[in-house]
Amino acid sequence: MNEKAYKAMNFAGISGIVVGIIVALVGVTAGVITIVGGARLLKEKRGLTF
């Protein structure tokens, strides 16, 4: 019985680590995309005339 509990805890721990890494990568990627988009908007603002 204890062996099943240890296996379940091991799987839960590994799953938590994997999900954490994926969330961190998605967050960094979204941040970089946002910064690049903002920089492009500021760059293009200079050429805008009304």
Side-chain angles (χ1 to χ4, degrees), residues 1-42:
M1 185 70 176
N2 286 339
E3 188 175 335
K4 282 179 99 176
Y6 284 123
K7 285 184 179 180
M9 289 169 56
N10 188 28
F11 179 73
I14 292 172
S15 299
I17 291 171
V18 170
V19 168
I21 291 171
I22 291 171
V23 167
L25 290 175
V26 168
V28 168
T29 304
V32 168
I33 289 172
T34 303
I35 291 170
V36 169
R40 283 185 182 169
L41 284 172
L42 288 175

